[in-house]
Amino acid sequence: MKAELHPRQGARLAALASYDILDTPPEEAFEEVVGLVARICEVPIALVSLVEEHRQWFKARLGLDASETPVEQSICSHAILGDGILEIEDTQTDPRSADNPLCMGDRAFRFYAGAPLITPDGLPLGSLCVLDYTPRRLTEVQRETLRVMAKQVMAQLDLRLSLRTADTLRREIDHRVKNSLQSLAAVARFEARRSKSDDAKQALERVGRRIGSVAVVHEQLYRTGTDHTVALDAYLENLARHLTEIAPDGITVSGTAPAVQIASADAAMVGVLFNETAANAFKHAFPGERVGHVRYTAEQLADGRIRFSCEDDGIGLPDEAATTRDGLGTMLGEVISLELDGMLDVTRLDPGLRITLEFTPKEPG
């Protein structure tokens, strides 16, 4: 006999959909529950069954090949009409299951017991159920086990929902922060173009570049869905693309980096150094309409340290210019080196200039 619809069927189906659990891959937490329940209840079949409008789907199953059945064959659709355990000692003598095709024939299910999976709002999603091929009755210990483990299944479902809701909220906030940072960078660049003061123009350009660099870090975190780490190769590639967009005509920016995860704070420091080194090259290394290339490289050394370099093929430093902390673009590099507890090196090339930073990456957290 097909079960009647739940009195709050619409709300129940909406709640089930909100958990976003249907047709998801197997998960160890649920598999362990059906294994434990089957052993304690001494049955060959145990299921985490979720009752949809037209089918029941099994999030976890033991002793059954099918992943779902039509709702017309669902004994669990009867179990969700009550708030306690439904136990049918012999399915062939109970009107709710006597005409069920699964309870007829040589391999008929002759015993059923199911504890409903009830949301905090009192809406049943399905049941944790056990079945046997012979009529029987659960002991009090077995019934209590089924009841307690059904609550554990529901706790797992609620945890998944809470994590997904928190992740959705975090992503929405991240998206808005990223857009705000990009807008601020754009405003700074716009004001720099309008400014009649060279000092103000340079200051606004620096602000715009640094905000843009932070926006790239934030976007990388947003895309990967992590809170504390970024992929160094993808981050530097995105930052190089950002720098290329603001570079003078004829200047390109590119490079290579390993696919390693580093703390987002470390990545931000590397990004600032890359940003400032490239910006100094744009301003000083390619006078007139000289074309050229700014290249970055990053590698992970055998001892775990990260070596980051940024170089250009421009005119380089004048002979009288220093390559110490008072030299071109190195003061900020020294601050970043201290922040990362690293070592900074400035090297003249023929042609061009290279700035190299080595540091031990911090543990994410």
Side-chain angles (χ1 to χ4, degrees):
M1 180 177 69
K2 183 178 178 180
E4 297 179 1
L5 295 181
H6 189 272
R8 300 173 63 192
Q9 177 74 344
R12 190 189 73 79
L13 292 176
L16 177 57
S18 73
Y19 280 82
D20 198 22
I21 189 71
L22 295 170
D23 299 310
T24 56
E27 295 179 46
E28 184 178 1
F30 298 103
E31 299 291 330
E32 289 178 345
V33 167
V34 294
L36 178 63
V37 167
R39 286 195 298 273
I40 293 178
C41 293
E42 300 177 302
V43 294
I45 301 169
L47 308 167
V48 173
S49 173
L50 300 169
V51 181
E52 206 179 7
E53 183 176 9
H54 300 296
R55 62 169 179 161
Q56 63 175 356
W57 177 79
F58 309 127
K59 174 59 182 174
R61 63 186 190 274
L62 177 70
L64 187 68
D65 293 332
S67 61
E68 62 180 67
T69 69
V71 74
E72 291 80 8
Q73 299 177 6
S74 169
I75 305 178
C76 293
S77 62
H78 293 279
I80 65 173
L81 296 177
D83 55 6
I85 291 178
L86 170 64
E87 184 173 4
I88 301 178
E89 297 179 15
D90 186 348
T91 60
Q92 292 185 354
T93 63
D94 191 293
R96 291 168 294 188
S97 54
D99 61 350
N100 189 320
L102 299 178
C103 302
M104 303 165 64
D106 294 337
R107 293 288 288 173
F109 298 144
R110 296 293 302 276
F111 169 78
Y112 172 91
L117 305 173
I118 302 175
T119 71
D121 293 331
L123 297 168
L125 306 181
S127 76
L128 173 64
C129 65
V130 293
L131 299 104
D132 204 344
Y133 296 110
T134 59
R136 53 168 302 165
R137 177 185 295 179
L138 294 181
T139 67
E140 281 304 313
V141 171
Q142 291 170 338
R143 289 174 63 86
E144 183 63 17
T145 297
L146 194 61
R147 183 182 299 109
V148 169
M149 296 312 295
K151 291 181 179 179
Q152 290 303 307
V153 170
M154 203 61 234
Q156 287 290 330
L157 292 173
D158 286 332
L159 177 61
R160 290 176 89 265
L161 178 61
S162 296
L163 291 174
R164 190 166 62 86
T165 301
D167 183 65
T168 300
L169 179 60
R170 182 187 63 81
R171 287 178 174 272
E172 176 62 23
I173 293 172
D174 284 347
H175 181 69
R176 295 187 182 188
V177 170
K178 181 193 68 160
N179 288 345
S180 296
L181 288 170
Q182 291 175 339
S183 297
L184 284 172
V187 169
R189 290 194 297 269
F190 176 73
E191 292 297 331
R193 289 193 296 269
R194 292 181 55 192
S195 178
K196 297 180 181 179
S197 165
D198 289 340
D199 289 342
K201 184 186 295 289
Q202 292 177 17
L204 286 167
E205 287 174 346
R206 285 195 299 271
V207 169
R209 287 195 303 270
R210 291 170 185 172
I211 293 174
S213 178
V214 173
V216 172
V217 174
H218 198 85
E219 181 177 19
Q220 194 70 25
L221 291 171
Y222 170 74
R223 287 182 176 179
T224 58
T226 59
D227 294 323
H228 305 298
T229 66
V230 297
L232 186 60
D233 56 340
Y235 168 58
L236 291 176
E237 182 180 344
N238 289 337
L239 186 51
R241 189 178 301 114
H242 166 72
L243 290 168
T244 297
E245 292 174 356
I246 63 174
D249 292 340
I251 309 300
T252 59
V253 183
S254 65
T256 59
V260 298
Q261 296 287 132
I262 68 171
S264 56
D266 288 353
M269 290 292 99
V270 172
V272 171
L273 181 63
F274 182 17
N275 207 336
E276 294 303 311
T277 304
N280 277 327
F282 296 163
K283 183 176 180 181
H284 300 286
F286 307 104
E289 297 182 358
R290 182 184 176 111
V291 299
H293 186 207
V294 174
R295 177 175 176 78
Y296 71 86
T297 58
E299 58 182 321
Q300 188 166 37
L301 307 179
D303 61 1
R305 290 170 65 81
I306 299 291
R307 177 187 291 153
F308 171 78
S309 297
C310 184
E311 64 182 59
D312 64 73
D313 57 2
I315 61 173
L317 288 174
D319 291 340
E320 66 275 11
T323 58
T324 61
R325 60 178 297 169
D326 296 321
L328 179 62
T330 59
M331 188 172 296
L332 181 59
E334 290 286 357
V335 173
I336 293 171
S337 178
L338 289 171
E339 180 71 21
L340 294 177
D341 193 23
M343 296 184 298
L344 187 74
D345 179 70
V346 182
T347 306
R348 284 189 173 92
L349 304 176
D350 186 19
L353 184 74
R354 177 192 300 129
I355 293 183
T356 301
L357 174 68
E358 286 189 18
F359 66 97
T360 300
K362 300 182 184 69
E363 290 294 324

